[in-house]
Amino acid sequence: MILTGAEIIAETLIEQGCSTVFGYPGGQVTDLFDALYQRSDRIRNVLTAHEQGAAHAADGYARASGTVGVVIATSGPGATNLITGIAAAYLDSVPVVAVTGNVPCSQIGRDSFQEVDIVGVSMPVTKHNFIVKDICELADTVREAFRIAKSGRPGPVLVDVPKDVQEAKCEFTPAAEPVAAEPLRCSSNHRLQWAADRIMQAKRPYIYFGGGVIAGHASAELLAFAERLDAPMGCSLMGLSAVPSDHPRFLGMQGMHGHYASTVAEDEADLVIALGVRFSDRATGAADRFARHFAVIHIDIDGAELNKNIAAQLTIRGDLKDALRRLTAIVPQQLHTGWNSRIAALRTEEQRRTAASHSIMSEAGMLTHFEIIDAVSRAAEEDALIVTDVGQHQMWTAQRYPLRYPRTFLTSGGLGAMGFGMGAAIGAFLAAGKRTVLFTGDGSFGMNLNELATAVSEHAKLVIVILNNGVLGMVRQWQRLFFGQRYAATTLNRKTDFVKVAEAFGAKGMRADDAESLERAVHAAFSQDGPFVIDCAVSPDEPVLPMLPPGGSIDDIITQIK
Amino acid sequence: MEQQYVIGVLVANISGVLSRVSGMFTRRGFNIDCLTVGETESSGFSRITVAFRGNEDIRERIVTQLEKLHDVKEVEVLDQHETVIRELLLLKVRNTAETRQDIMTAVEIFRSKIVDYSAAALICELTGESTKIDAFIELMKNYGIMEMCRTGIVAIERGENCLRTLHER
């Protein structure tokens, strides 16, 4: 059939299995929105308040569902507003396809109204990008974008389509099914055998895993592998939710604000088996002092991650699920009684330190951040989606919230984009169709709270928990420790009433400043059909602990601030 | 140990590919000594030759990052002992009665060519390995270089091994 370019994009999106897109219209995508409008029985556009919110929503949709998220924006400012969202997806390896309109080909390069070279701008934050100038290549380019986004290590792909290409007509033949991801590379037999030999020599093996386990659907294989090795495990921020938080072998997140036990256990190990991680500076601290005492076996689907930040003794490039399954098959059952009793002692020590560390808030008779998180987790469904923004609340949630199923913890790990939460929570809710909890701070929430409008329109069952301390707490914590308590530009002290803000947007909200009001607010929030804001007062001076100072190592771990 | 590496990169011959390749170097803080790009025998591919200084670790990171780019089809680190490496120089030098004979002698010894002759200036053309070109330029400084440009290196492996065949395998 003969279709316009705009219709071809819409049909190709549908053909690729996309039923929900997040987008914001504008001059150069009016054709595309018109085509979507005429197909609204098969594909639905979720209109956000801002393109950034749309990009985060597509990202959240993809993280929650494991499928490709799609975002649409117009040329110029529409396209540039996507960049933070695309970068967040890029840093966390999330499959997203962004479609942008552009000025007609004849106007390109003339600084026309709302013209931006978005292919140039987005090049460093996309896995790949395209500008389509020939209508005959449009359908296949969109298909290729999906293929690239979901193949290997996933990531965002941008397709820029000038307006005249959306208007032009061309023959279109729908594909029978969505494009398949490229087959994942299998690890070589002899490298796996080397790894097995090395594992059998290890006295104190430790498994450090990241988001690759979730992206690679390898949770079950990871647990079987850990049993076979009789080894403890910890994870990066992105690895959270890959295994249940209360799994007896799991010591929690490690790194800058990781658990004491996992961070120390890794340092005491003689062999670290790193799975689907990229050894970010936030996870390792000073790279040169990181792997002093242990050897590293690093397995990842992306060859460029191997030996990038940390030199490994053995690198294996391949699909994690396949590698773990084959590795488990060739390693005989290991037994590390002494090592595991040391791990148990570390757990006890962590509990002792936690109990001994005084909380400013509990001393002041205030609700503590952990009490708030616990109250929410008691009320939430077991498989509720937990989304965070960025800052202290993010680390507290990562440390504390009991997660049970993969893809239930959504956070901007690599980019650390404040303002990620609202869009991502909306996207996650629409992907999963179940109640979603957003932990945010007054700083992060202030960045994109306009998406409350979207949440209300979409009847999104969001429980938005604001840990409101009136400051930009994470930066303030650094200022307290490293800048002589000079709190430059981090004291918000705003008069914003978030309950009234929620009401103004058509949502509901309650304030919580003690156990009783918290219980009432949580109860109300979880019996509500639309978005609900719980504004919780917390202290501006409560630090996130433990803390490895930036560029520090395990020797510098801070577990108490006087 | 730090040394110079030369890599051959076979890329899809499409708009923007040079930005993607050079952008990867900029973004990740790798320095390029020299980069050349040109067509190949197949209209679908261009070939980029990049020279850079670094250690093995940097070399590995550059190769693996290049391989991740969608438009990059093949990357090979060229063994400099098994590779023909050439560069072209065009150099304009002052033409005076006192220096002309010396310049002509140097041109002959370096197997360079005079490709333009005017009363005030000579243009010399020279191809060869970079060290030979460096030596020629050094010599010409004595006679007053007016302007010059060099192409940067192109490199191709000796024997029957080809980047293209690697890609087709």
Side-chain angles (χ1 to χ4, degrees):
Chain A
M1 55 190 149
I2 302 284
L3 297 181
T4 66
E7 290 168 333
I8 289 174
I9 297 170
E11 286 295 337
T12 314
L13 292 176
I14 294 167
E15 158 207 300
Q16 292 304 313
C18 170
S19 57
T20 306
V21 299
F22 301 87
Y24 203 98
Q28 309 301 348
V29 281
T30 313
D31 296 82
L32 178 52
F33 275 90
D34 185 55
L36 293 170
Y37 182 82
Q38 295 187 50
R39 288 162 180 75
S40 44
D41 54 329
R42 291 184 288 153
I43 187 164
R44 192 167 81 89
N45 177 60
V46 176
L47 178 64
T48 56
H50 188 289
E51 287 92 349
Q52 186 188 344
H56 289 317
D59 174 331
Y61 186 93
R63 288 183 204 235
S65 65
T67 61
V68 178
V70 177
V71 57
I72 299 173
T74 191
S75 64
T80 54
N81 279 343
L82 295 179
I83 292 299
T84 302
I86 292 174
Y90 182 67
L91 268 292
D92 291 343
S93 312
V94 181
V96 167
V97 168
V99 180
T100 51
N102 209 334
V103 300
C105 290
S106 59
Q107 297 295 314
I108 287 178
R110 298 168 193 275
D111 300 324
S112 309
F113 177 66
Q114 294 193 331
E115 184 202 350
V116 157
D117 168 22
I118 198 62
V119 166
V121 170
S122 64
M123 210 172 269
V125 293
T126 49
K127 208 173 157 189
H128 192 62
N129 58 20
F130 300 93
I131 177 164
V132 185
K133 292 183 176 172
D134 178 355
I135 173 108
C136 301
E137 294 175 0
L138 184 55
D140 281 346
T141 304
V142 174
R143 290 172 186 139
E144 181 69 354
F146 273 81
R147 195 184 60 78
I148 295 170
K150 60 190 180 183
S151 291
R153 176 182 181 176
V157 181
L158 181 137
V159 184
D160 193 28
V161 189
K163 182 164 165 59
D164 55 329
V165 178
Q166 295 176 47
E167 289 165 344
K169 289 188 171 174
C170 183
E171 175 68 25
F172 174 77
T173 314
E177 52 188 32
V179 287
E182 283 168 27
L184 291 167
R185 183 189 170 109
C186 289
S187 316
S188 77
N189 269 328
H190 71 274
R191 284 198 166 249
L192 288 175
Q193 190 57 56
W194 285 349
D197 293 345
R198 190 68 192 73
I199 286 167
M200 285 184 266
Q201 291 161 18
K203 301 272 182 289
R204 297 180 306 280
Y206 179 85
I207 298 168
Y208 169 47
F209 65 89
V213 174
I214 298 169
H217 310 283
S219 293
E221 287 75 11
L222 169 62
L223 292 177
F225 180 65
E227 291 307 321
R228 180 59 55 88
L229 264 58
D230 195 24
M233 53 187 169
C235 69
S236 67
L237 178 63
M238 294 308 298
L240 284 173
S241 86
V243 304
S245 304
D246 59 359
H247 191 279
R249 296 198 178 275
F250 182 57
L251 301 177
M253 176 178 79
Q254 56 196 74
M256 182 171 275
H257 293 297
H259 282 254
Y260 173 82
S262 56
T263 308
V264 177
E266 181 178 56
D267 194 58
E268 292 187 5
D270 65 350
L271 177 68
V272 168
I273 303 124
L275 307 169
V277 292
R278 57 189 179 85
F279 290 110
S280 140
D281 57 292
R282 283 298 188 268
T284 63
D288 54 338
R289 284 191 285 160
F290 174 66
R292 283 173 298 183
H293 314 305
F294 53 79
V296 176
I297 297 176
H298 190 180
I299 310 182
D300 202 280
I301 190 67
D302 180 359
E305 287 305 335
L306 306 172
N307 291 327
K308 185 182 83 175
N309 291 338
I310 294 293
Q313 278 62 39
L314 175 58
T315 59
I316 300 178
R317 182 180 168 202
D319 171 29
L320 215 44
K321 193 181 179 79
D322 164 74
L324 286 177
R325 198 179 279 163
R326 286 161 59 202
L327 205 44
T328 307
I330 56 174
V331 175
Q333 182 62 46
Q334 304 291 297
L335 190 64
H336 296 290
T337 317
W339 174 226
N340 277 306
S341 51
R342 171 64 187 151
I343 296 298
L346 285 176
R347 277 189 192 271
T348 312
E349 172 64 11
E350 174 174 305
Q351 282 158 5
R352 191 194 64 74
R353 286 184 183 226
T354 308
S357 70
H358 61 279
S359 159
I360 290 165
M361 294 193 272
S362 55
E363 280 171 12
M366 292 172 78
L367 276 175
T368 69
H369 46 287
F370 285 154
E371 284 166 354
I372 295 165
I373 292 168
D374 290 348
V376 173
S377 76
R378 281 194 300 272
E381 292 82 354
E382 232 199 10
D383 60 349
L385 296 170
I386 307 304
V387 184
T388 79
D389 255 302
V390 169
Q392 288 186 309
H393 71 270
Q394 176 191 28
M395 291 299 113
W396 285 326
T397 310
Q399 291 174 339
R400 187 74 166 196
Y401 199 95
L403 301 161
R404 293 173 186 93
Y405 304 99
R407 296 192 181 281
T408 55
F409 184 68
L410 284 62
T411 196
S412 174
L415 189 67
M418 289 173 69
F420 167 84
M422 272 308 293
I426 292 166
F429 168 77
L430 291 171
K434 59 188 177 192
R435 197 182 306 276
T436 298
V437 179
L438 167 64
F439 286 97
T440 182
D442 47 324
S444 287
F445 187 59
M447 283 201 171
N448 279 335
L449 60 78
N450 49 358
E451 296 302 342
L452 267 174
T454 315
V456 169
S457 306
E458 292 295 323
H459 308 289
K461 290 204 265 183
L462 301 188
V463 177
I464 300 159
V465 183
I466 307 173
L467 300 188
N468 187 347
N469 55 9
V471 297
L472 301 176
M474 189 59 96
V475 178
R476 183 183 167 93
Q477 179 171 338
W478 286 40
Q479 289 169 331
R480 177 173 166 193
L481 290 168
F482 313 122
F483 290 85
Q485 304 189 30
R486 295 182 300 279
Y487 298 123
T490 53
T491 308
L492 298 175
N493 239 353
R494 289 171 178 155
K495 304 295 175 222
T496 314
D497 181 331
F498 287 122
V499 174
K500 281 189 184 155
V501 166
E503 286 164 359
F505 276 101
K508 295 217 163 84
M510 283 171 80
R511 194 161 291 111
D513 39 28
D514 56 28
E516 197 190 328
S517 56
L518 178 64
E519 281 308 322
R520 246 183 295 130
V522 167
H523 180 77
F526 281 88
S527 5
Q528 172 80 15
D529 261 347
F532 194 102
V533 171
I534 307 176
D535 184 14
C536 306
V538 294
S539 161
D541 289 315
E542 188 69 48
V544 180
L545 294 173
M547 178 179 191
L548 290 180
S553 77
I554 183 77
D555 307 333
D556 313 308
I557 193 165
I558 302 168
T559 55
Q560 250 199 64
I561 297 176
K562 295 275 182 291
Chain B
M1 196 185 64
E2 190 161 300
Q3 64 171 98
Q4 191 182 53
Y5 290 98
V6 176
I7 54 175
V9 187
L10 195 68
V11 299
N13 181 17
I14 48 180
S15 144
V17 67
L18 185 57
S19 290
R20 291 180 202 279
V21 169
S22 61
M24 190 288 289
F25 279 84
T26 319
R27 188 159 84 248
R28 298 198 179 265
F30 302 126
N31 289 319
I32 298 176
D33 284 349
C34 152
L35 184 150
T36 58
V37 56
E39 292 178 352
T40 65
E41 75 286 1
S42 152
S43 62
F45 298 101
S46 297
R47 181 167 171 144
I48 297 176
T49 308
V50 192
F52 56 89
R53 296 200 70 78
N55 55 25
E56 271 182 42
D57 173 48
I58 289 185
R59 184 206 65 198
E60 185 183 337
R61 282 166 59 201
I62 288 175
V63 169
T64 52
Q65 291 293 349
L66 283 175
E67 284 173 341
K68 267 175 76 166
L69 299 178
H70 184 67
D71 290 337
V72 168
K73 304 304 171 190
E74 197 62 62
V75 184
E76 196 181 10
V77 181
L78 300 168
D79 176 349
Q80 298 197 35
H81 303 294
E82 291 300 323
T83 302
V84 178
I85 298 178
R86 290 293 179 269
E87 189 175 0
L88 170 69
L89 167 78
L90 291 176
L91 181 144
K92 188 182 290 179
V93 64
R94 219 170 284 289
N95 184 2
T96 66
E98 297 76 47
T99 59
R100 189 174 306 131
Q101 195 49 53
D102 290 349
I103 294 171
M104 293 297 215
T105 308
V107 161
E108 195 175 324
I109 290 168
F110 275 85
R111 294 184 191 167
S112 171
K113 263 194 296 188
I114 306 286
V115 292
D116 184 70
Y117 190 102
S118 65
L122 300 168
I123 298 179
C124 311
E125 175 195 304
L126 177 66
T127 58
E129 295 196 6
S130 301
T131 47
K132 175 179 164 185
I133 288 176
D134 293 342
F136 185 70
I137 293 167
E138 205 50 44
L139 191 61
M140 285 297 122
K141 281 182 182 167
N142 301 321
Y143 311 119
I145 297 173
M146 297 166 73
E147 65 174 325
M148 56 164 272
C149 56
R150 50 202 289 184
T151 56
I153 60 170
V154 289
I156 202 158
E157 210 177 341
R158 295 181 195 278
E160 60 177 354
N161 232 4
C162 305
L163 262 186
R164 189 67 200 286
T165 47
L166 280 175
H167 175 56
E168 284 165 351
R169 266 206 300 268

